[in-house]
Structures are given as structure tokens and as C-alpha cells.
Amino acid sequence: YDSNVKLRKYYAMADKVICVSKMNSIRVKRDVPEIKDYDYCYNPIDENVVIEKGKEEIVYPIKNKGLKFITVGRLSEEKGYFRLITIFTRLKKEGYDFSLVIIGDGPERERLMKHVEELSMGDRIIFLLEQKNPFKYVSKSDVFVCSSFSEGYSTVCTEASILNVPVITTEVGGGEEIIDSAGCGVLCDLTDEGLYNALKGVLDHPQCVSEWKDILSKTKKNFFAQERVKRLYSIFDV
């Protein structure tokens, strides 16, 4: 989201501004009231490609018996991975069993890896860096975590939902809409404590994961391209 509204003059020149989430369309209208018209449209994703790639076999990289968490994204500050590692360290000290796989690369790589090492979390958290096919790991996980401080609309949360993996997400752009479309998962506030409580709640009640997966088996179609394209067609009146 253009938080500082640097493109204000261009928004005002357009006949209509289309955002990637409903939340951001409301924000941009609030921030630039001179906009003539505004709407939103989620990015269509070919679910067949995602599902097919998710079928590829893997050897899961951590052998813990607890819940398998995963996150995929650029290793940059706005993704909130540093605090995610800290929160999982707190949960480990409290006696919870789990694993976390982090897929992606970026400018925070060395800092995050050092953070894991300093906290002695290498038995619970592993970096797989950039993967040509992250879907094969996501599909074998229990819960997808979006710990971001800022998002327009999380494509990886959508892909996780398509793969029948429930999502815990912070209240970033599109977060509430993703949880509403899925009919399950957790939306938490942007604070460290909010994310901690969300993760702890799932670890305290791991049976909710199978319940969520049952719900997703029926609602994941809401994320399919055929549904998303309907809105695109209506915007362009075709």
C-alpha cells in the first residue's frame, strides 16, 4: 500500500483506481478523497498449477512431533520474521513442541539466521531459502503464518488456502478478507503479543487444525481463478 500516498496526483487523474484488496481500496479513498472512483480485485491465481506442484513429494526437514508451521516470503524487515522467531522461542521455553520452515531470501537473511543461532532454535526453525517449488512444502504443513507488518494482499496466504492449509495472519491489508473467504484460521493484531496469542491458541488446541482443514476443503474454491475473474470481468464490464 502506498502509505505516504506518493502517487496522489496520478490517483486523482485516473477514472478509477483498482486496489488488490477491499481494505486498501477503502484506505486509498480515505487518503485521497479526490479520487473519482475506486474498486478492488484480487489477483487471480491458477489453482491447478498450485495444487499440482503441491503434490510433489518431500522429506520434511524437521522431525518434531508437534505442529508444522510454515511461512514463505522475502526475508525483509516488513515481513516480521525477526519477531516471529522471538515469539516461537518464547513458546519453546513454555514447553510447546512445533517446527517452523521459512522459505525465501532477502536482505535480512544473515540477521535472521544469526537470530535463530543465538536463540538455539536450530532444532525447531529451518531456513530453506529460495525454492523453485515452495508449494510442495506448504501442502505438507499444518498452518501457514503471515507475520507481516504490511501487505497489500498476501498471495502466499491465498496459495496456502488453495492447498488446504489454514492461515494465521496479522491484520495487514487483505488479512481479514482472506480469513473471511476461508471461513477459518486466525486474524490477529499487528503486535507481538497478538501474534503470540494466536500461535499459542493453536498450540493449545491443535485439534482445530483438522477442523479448519475440513472447512477449507469446502471454502478454498473461493480463492480459485474462476471466482476471482468474475470480479475482474464486472469491473471491466465484459
Side-chain angles (χ1 to χ4, degrees):
Y1 183 74
D2 184 10
S3 300
N4 298 317
V5 200
K6 297 176 182 177
L7 302 176
R8 176 187 293 271
K9 67 177 181 179
Y10 300 106
Y11 298 147
M13 290 167 60
D15 293 318
K16 180 179 282 191
V17 176
I18 310 298
C19 298
V20 295
S21 69
K22 183 178 181 180
M23 177 181 176
N24 282 336
S25 70
I26 294 170
R27 288 174 68 188
V28 78
K29 180 59 179 176
R30 178 200 64 200
D31 294 344
V32 191
E34 60 268 33
I35 284 178
K36 299 180 182 72
D37 195 8
Y38 67 102
D39 209 330
Y40 69 95
C41 184
Y42 304 128
N43 291 324
I45 296 172
D46 187 342
E47 71 277 359
N48 295 310
V49 173
V50 174
I51 292 169
E52 191 59 34
K53 288 186 175 182
K55 294 177 181 177
E56 188 174 331
E57 294 297 324
I58 66 166
V59 175
Y60 205 80
I62 303 181
K63 301 302 181 184
N64 295 69
K65 294 181 179 179
L67 289 178
K68 298 181 178 69
F69 294 90
I70 192 166
T71 187
V72 181
R74 188 166 184 263
L75 302 185
S76 51
E77 191 172 355
E78 75 276 5
K79 297 298 184 181
Y81 291 146
F82 191 89
R83 59 105 169 253
L84 182 62
I85 292 165
T86 303
I87 290 168
F88 270 121
T89 302
R90 177 180 173 186
L91 290 165
K92 178 184 175 181
K93 289 178 179 177
E94 292 173 357
Y96 292 101
D97 192 16
F98 58 83
S99 62
L100 171 65
V101 170
I102 300 175
I103 295 178
D105 205 348
E108 288 271 287
R109 181 215 284 192
E110 297 303 323
R111 178 172 180 252
L112 293 173
M113 287 184 164
K114 184 178 180 181
H115 193 40
V116 168
E117 182 180 356
E118 289 176 345
L119 294 173
S120 300
M121 287 294 287
D123 62 327
R124 302 295 185 91
I125 300 175
I126 187 168
F127 293 87
L128 296 184
L129 300 180
E130 191 169 344
Q131 294 286 320
K132 290 183 178 179
N133 179 12
F135 306 118
K136 63 183 179 180
Y137 293 99
V138 175
S139 66
K140 313 302 188 298
S141 303
D142 295 311
V143 180
F144 186 94
V145 183
C146 173
S147 56
S148 297
F149 293 105
S150 176
E151 291 281 348
Y153 183 93
S154 176
T155 299
V156 289
C157 284
T158 299
E159 292 165 341
S161 300
I162 289 171
L163 290 168
N164 221 64
V165 177
V167 169
I168 293 175
T169 178
T170 50
E171 198 173 6
V172 289
E176 183 176 2
E177 296 155 66
I178 289 168
I179 298 300
D180 285 347
S181 294
C184 62
V186 180
L187 178 74
C188 64
D189 63 47
L190 288 170
T191 66
D192 292 3
E193 199 67 17
L195 185 55
Y196 163 79
N197 287 329
L199 294 168
K200 183 177 184 297
V202 175
L203 288 166
D204 281 336
H205 306 283
Q207 70 277 6
C208 71
V209 174
S210 59
E211 294 169 2
W212 288 344
K213 286 179 177 285
D214 286 342
I215 293 171
L216 264 179
S217 68
K218 303 176 183 67
T219 61
K220 62 185 178 183
K221 65 179 184 297
N222 294 330
F223 300 96
F224 288 3
Q226 185 176 2
E227 291 299 315
R228 296 292 171 89
V229 169
K230 288 178 183 177
R231 186 169 189 85
L232 182 64
Y233 287 165
S234 69
I235 288 172
F236 289 102
D237 196 24
V238 294

